[in-house]
Amino acid sequence: MKTVPLLFRRIPWSQVLPLFALAFFSGGCDRSPEPETLQGYVEGEFLYIASPLSGALETLSVERGGEVVIGDPLFTLESGAETAARQLAKQRLAEGRARLEDAKKGSRPPEISALEAQLHQRHDALTYSESELKRLMNLTGTGAISDQDVDRAKLLRDQDKQRVAQIEAELKTATLGSREDQITEAVANVGALEAALEKADWDLSQKRQIAPRAGRIFDVLYRPGDWVAAGKPVVALLPPDQIKVRAYLPEPRLGSIQPGDPVLLHIDGIEEVFSGKISFLSPQAEFTPPVIYSRQTRSKLVFLLEAVFPPETAVRLQPGQPVELTLLP
């Protein structure tokens, strides 16, 4: 009897279907789930410290790789022109304030004393002219004087009254000071000079820059003696809270991950594992960057993920350093 090879034997469908099902499910099981560990790298967001004014770099108080705290001096630019401008603004303000005080006051004491002496003389003259007019009026009708003498005495008495009134008005004006509109102008002038002094103070302060945050001096871009243009950074500062790890999350894992979830950080050469949390998850998909070497995520859409770590961990990370992130369930 001839033997038929197994390859050409007919197998009943009752036996074939379980084999297809097993092959189907086995193929599905071969699709390994997306890895829990993601390839990533360290990213730093730098603070570039610059002065809004230009000048030669006079002093540099930090070096690359050093650590600073808030308020530490970073650098100073040459400030001769700003110092002179501030001194000039200060002197002009003092002059303006003196003019304002002078405008509020009346005439000087010697001038007031002179007016008071003139007023005393006019009062004496008025007293004499009134007594003389009274005497002549008593002699009227006796024939000893004429009507013209009486009229002349009345005119002299009236002139003395007017002179007394004039001196009294001048004395009152002398004690009042300048007019209201002149005082208002002087006040406005003082305000403008104060603003000019504040501007000069600000210009001078901008020639000396201090650390706005604590962190590491990542780079120094100029050296003493170099000319620094306005707005050009001299120091690149990297605060610990602005050091983060970037990785790319496969699309199938997107629904199970959200900001705030914990992660573990693995660094080459360090056995210790560091804990952190996801701070950002991009809402927009992109293709896997060529710097991320992973067979599982190759040619697939991924979502940018950022994770942050405590300052004591962040200071141990270097921008551009490759790391691994483990996503915790």
Side-chain angles (χ1 to χ4, degrees):
M1 183 177 179
K2 188 175 181 181
T3 304
V4 179
L6 180 62
L7 180 63
F8 296 98
R9 289 182 181 177
R10 291 189 177 184
I11 303 175
W13 279 108
S14 59
Q15 299 179 15
V16 173
L17 289 178
L19 293 176
F20 274 108
L22 179 61
F24 176 80
F25 287 110
S26 298
C29 293
D30 289 341
R31 296 181 182 180
S32 59
E34 296 295 341
E36 294 291 332
T37 299
L38 304 178
Q39 305 296 322
Y41 60 94
V42 180
E43 180 74 15
E45 295 181 354
F46 304 100
L47 295 180
Y48 293 96
I49 313 300
S51 171
L53 305 176
S54 60
L57 184 59
E58 193 171 74
T59 59
L60 182 64
S61 304
V62 295
E63 289 293 340
R64 184 184 303 175
E67 298 288 336
V68 295
V69 298
I70 297 177
D72 281 354
L74 298 179
F75 65 89
T76 303
L77 301 181
E78 188 277 328
S79 58
E82 287 74 18
T83 301
R86 182 189 180 279
Q87 184 63 24
L88 178 61
K90 186 177 180 180
Q91 293 176 351
R92 286 180 174 175
L93 177 58
E95 179 183 358
R97 286 174 174 171
R99 288 181 178 178
L100 174 60
E101 293 300 321
D102 184 67
K104 291 179 179 179
K105 298 176 182 178
S107 300
R108 292 174 294 179
E111 295 174 339
I112 295 178
S113 298
L115 289 174
E116 289 176 345
Q118 293 179 22
L119 180 61
H120 184 70
Q121 292 175 358
R122 293 302 177 185
H123 274 298
D124 292 344
L126 178 59
T127 301
Y128 174 78
S129 61
E130 286 179 342
S131 62
E132 183 66 14
L133 177 60
K134 184 177 181 181
R135 187 182 67 82
L136 293 177
M137 291 291 292
N138 291 335
L139 295 175
T140 302
T142 62
I145 62 171
S146 64
D147 293 339
Q148 293 161 343
D149 293 333
V150 174
D151 293 339
R152 190 178 300 110
K154 288 181 178 181
L155 179 61
L156 183 61
R157 190 270 316 269
D158 293 340
Q159 289 178 347
D160 288 337
K161 281 185 176 181
Q162 292 175 357
R163 289 171 181 172
V164 168
Q166 178 184 356
I167 298 299
E168 287 178 344
E170 291 178 356
L171 183 60
K172 183 177 180 180
T173 301
T175 58
L176 289 177
S178 300
R179 295 191 302 270
E180 184 177 352
D181 55 347
Q182 292 177 331
I183 295 178
T184 302
E185 180 184 359
V187 170
N189 182 57
V190 168
L193 293 174
E194 289 176 344
L197 179 58
E198 290 180 2
K199 175 62 167 57
D201 286 336
W202 184 85
D203 288 344
L204 183 59
S205 68
Q206 294 305 304
K207 286 304 186 79
R208 178 181 179 271
Q209 294 295 320
I210 61 176
R213 305 271 296 277
R216 181 194 317 160
I217 302 300
F218 187 79
D219 200 3
V220 174
L221 306 176
Y222 289 89
R223 290 294 173 183
D226 290 344
W227 178 264
V228 182
K232 289 293 184 180
V234 177
V235 172
L237 178 64
L238 182 59
D241 59 351
Q242 293 190 200
I243 299 176
K244 59 188 67 176
V245 171
R246 286 184 173 180
Y248 291 87
L249 182 69
E251 188 275 335
R253 294 296 310 276
L254 182 63
S256 60
I257 299 297
Q258 60 184 355
D261 287 351
V263 295
L264 296 179
L265 176 66
H266 306 269
I267 304 175
D268 292 342
I270 300 178
E271 295 182 0
E272 184 180 359
V273 178
F274 303 98
S275 299
K277 64 180 181 179
I278 298 175
S279 61
F280 173 76
L281 188 58
S282 175
Q284 185 175 0
E286 55 187 291
F287 288 99
T288 305
V291 296
I292 302 299
Y293 300 101
S294 174
R295 293 182 178 180
Q296 289 81 4
T297 58
R298 186 179 300 168
S299 302
K300 294 183 180 180
L301 291 179
V302 292
F303 292 79
L304 174 64
L305 175 150
E306 292 182 352
V308 294
F309 299 87
E312 59 272 14
T313 300
V315 295
R316 304 178 66 174
L317 304 178
Q318 302 294 334
Q321 179 182 12
V323 294
E324 291 183 352
L325 278 183
T326 298
L327 304 179
L328 299 179

